[in-house]
Amino acid sequence: MSGTRKEFLDSGSQMKHPMIILSGPTAVGKTKLSIALARVLGGEVVSADSMQVYQYMDIGSAKIAREEMQGIPHHMIDILKPWEEFSVALFKEKCQECLSGIYARGSIPIVTGGTGFYVQALLRDIDFAPDAGEETDAGSCRAWLERLGAEKGPAYLHGLLERADPPSALDIHPNNIKRTIRALEYFFLTGEPISAHNRREREKPSAYASCYFVLNDLRERIYERIDRRVEEMLAGGLVAEVEGLRQMGCHRGMVSMQGLGYKEILAYLEGEISLEEAVEILKRDTRHFAKRQLTWFRREKDVIWINKNEFGYDEDKILRHMLRIVEETTGRRAGGKEAWEDE
């Protein structure tokens, strides 16, 4: 497919809108590359990160700073207070509102982030609306599971999931109560493991003319970057950020406070562990999280892997390679000098 931006967008209702996905494990370098793509393609960045939606949670979420945006519009950042609930269904709804404006401006969305399920929901247009007559049952089932978790703890719920849906139990961390409850809720309401549902959804065609890039690196380099990022977060005031959230009334029962960096420092502030222990747990769990992210992306179809080491860590080569694929897939052409030249 080829043609100018206007030709592509005006070529008829049968044509899918273009979309670039830039995902990958945490700390691999997605932010800088997303800015470069946006600058040369006339794009706008849409964050696919489950933590960056929250205000006041900047350091622990590695949120992009205003000056780092280089004037590129960013969406799905700072849209909720930490005490507000967030879900994949709400993510998809809010994203689609953003996309309408992006396409109306003749821009291309660059969906950037490491929350693979969120990316899949948007890309494959997954429907999260309950079936007719199921909404009340879902509410009562969820309330029952939440009570069960409060009484017997997350390990008990995860044990139920291991019996009901072993593949999901492998995917979901035992401490991720929200996802565990969602998987159990789906099983009890439908009689089907949610892992089977997810497999079907992965087979759905993309709702967009999309390029799904996954930026990757050698494992040891990713782990080194994770450790360095954690140290930088601490030096940048992570403990004070979490303490400030505590003063606002935020607690571990909130979805926001279950995020990496927040639950560990919260445990330290509440006297459960030392700061040194909290830091080591944070580094370890972030490494495990990166590993789970890569497992998710390997199961996705039509993914274009960008292994940094195969390009000799030459950012210009990486960008040019991606731009060729974008033009072949969407007809979108680079409209200016390469973004790395000024940096």
Side-chain angles (χ1 to χ4, degrees), residues 81-216:
K81 297 290 193 288
W83 44 87
E84 293 182 280
E85 290 284 334
F86 191 59
S87 67
V88 64
L90 184 58
F91 166 80
K92 184 188 166 203
E93 176 188 329
K94 296 285 188 184
C95 267
Q96 288 177 326
E97 293 173 5
C98 296
L99 293 178
S100 296
I102 292 171
Y103 291 130
R105 289 186 289 274
S107 298
I108 186 169
I110 299 170
V111 180
T112 305
T115 310
F117 188 34
Y118 284 19
V119 170
Q120 184 191 87
L122 183 64
L123 189 62
R124 315 238 178 259
D125 194 23
I126 296 175
D127 184 8
F128 293 98
D131 293 335
E134 196 174 278
E135 193 165 6
T136 301
D137 291 340
S140 59
C141 181
R142 189 178 309 119
W144 169 66
L145 288 167
E146 288 172 349
R147 287 196 302 272
L148 203 58
E151 292 169 5
K152 299 195 175 185
Y156 178 81
L157 285 181
H158 202 265
L160 293 180
L161 185 60
E162 287 175 348
R163 297 201 295 275
D165 186 357
S168 288
L170 287 173
D171 274 349
I172 300 172
H173 193 279
N175 291 335
N176 193 328
I177 297 176
K178 182 182 177 184
R179 284 193 64 201
T180 300
I181 287 176
R182 172 66 184 125
L184 285 170
E185 176 190 347
Y186 186 87
F187 175 75
F188 288 133
L189 290 173
T190 68
E192 176 191 48
I194 200 170
S195 57
H197 165 78
N198 290 341
R199 279 196 300 273
R200 285 197 306 275
E201 294 297 338
R202 278 195 291 271
E203 294 305 312
K204 289 177 65 176
S206 173
Y208 301 87
S210 58
C211 295
Y212 191 162
F213 296 109
V214 172
L215 189 65
N216 193 24

Side-chain angles (χ1 to χ4, degrees), residues 2 6 9 39 62 71 93 120 136 148 162 165 170 173 182 196 207 219 228-229 260 272 287 301 315:
S2 63
K6 188 174 188 305
L9 294 177
R39 285 179 61 186
E93 176 188 329
Q120 184 191 87
T136 301
L148 203 58
E162 287 175 348
D165 186 357
L170 287 173
H173 193 279
R182 172 66 184 125
R219 178 179 294 184
R228 187 162 63 248
R229 174 180 281 187
L260 284 167
E272 297 177 9
R287 291 193 293 268
K301 65 177 184 178
E315 294 170 331

Side-chain angles (χ1 to χ4, degrees), residues 213-216 304-308 311 318 321-322 325:
F213 296 109
V214 172
L215 189 65
N216 193 24
I304 304 160
W305 288 87
I306 305 294
N307 297 307
K308 296 169 71 172
F311 292 86
I318 291 172
H321 175 71
M322 293 173 71
I325 295 172

Side-chain angles (χ1 to χ4, degrees), residues 32-33 215-217 221 306-322 324 338 340-341:
K32 184 178 180 182
L33 184 54
L215 189 65
N216 193 24
D217 201 350
R221 288 180 67 101
I306 305 294
N307 297 307
K308 296 169 71 172
N309 57 301
E310 294 176 3
F311 292 86
Y313 298 96
D314 186 321
E315 294 170 331
D316 187 63
K317 285 184 180 178
I318 291 172
L319 182 61
R320 290 179 184 278
H321 175 71
M322 293 173 71
R324 282 195 295 270
E338 307 308 331
W340 305 106
E341 291 181 6

Side-chain angles (χ1 to χ4, degrees), residues 199-333:
R199 279 196 300 273
R200 285 197 306 275
E201 294 297 338
R202 278 195 291 271
E203 294 305 312
K204 289 177 65 176
S206 173
Y208 301 87
S210 58
C211 295
Y212 191 162
F213 296 109
V214 172
L215 189 65
N216 193 24
D217 201 350
L218 299 173
R219 178 179 294 184
E220 59 269 23
R221 288 180 67 101
I222 293 174
Y223 287 0
E224 287 170 6
R225 287 177 67 104
I226 286 171
D227 289 351
R228 187 162 63 248
R229 174 180 281 187
V230 170
E231 295 295 340
E232 290 170 353
M233 286 177 174
L234 288 165
L238 178 59
V239 174
E241 180 172 271
V242 179
E243 177 58 37
L245 291 163
R246 278 185 79 208
Q247 296 299 321
M248 293 180 195
C250 295
H251 55 81
R252 66 182 63 201
M254 295 176 176
V255 172
S256 61
M257 298 304 287
Q258 290 297 312
L260 284 167
Y262 294 95
K263 58 185 178 182
E264 296 84 3
I265 299 301
L266 191 60
Y268 156 66
L269 291 172
E270 294 181 350
E272 297 177 9
I273 54 177
S274 69
L275 181 57
E276 291 74 17
E277 289 173 313
V279 171
E280 287 309 308
I281 292 170
L282 174 54
K283 289 179 178 178
R284 180 201 68 196
D285 287 357
T286 306
R287 291 193 293 268
H288 291 171
F289 175 59
K291 186 176 179 180
R292 291 196 302 274
Q293 287 176 302
L294 286 168
T295 299
W296 174 280
F297 297 130
R298 289 189 185 104
R299 290 199 305 253
E300 289 286 79
K301 65 177 184 178
D302 302 326
V303 161
I304 304 160
W305 288 87
I306 305 294
N307 297 307
K308 296 169 71 172
N309 57 301
E310 294 176 3
F311 292 86
Y313 298 96
D314 186 321
E315 294 170 331
D316 187 63
K317 285 184 180 178
I318 291 172
L319 182 61
R320 290 179 184 278
H321 175 71
M322 293 173 71
L323 290 173
R324 282 195 295 270
I325 295 172
V326 169
E327 182 173 350
E328 290 169 2
T329 305
T330 71
R332 190 79 172 200
R333 296 170 180 164

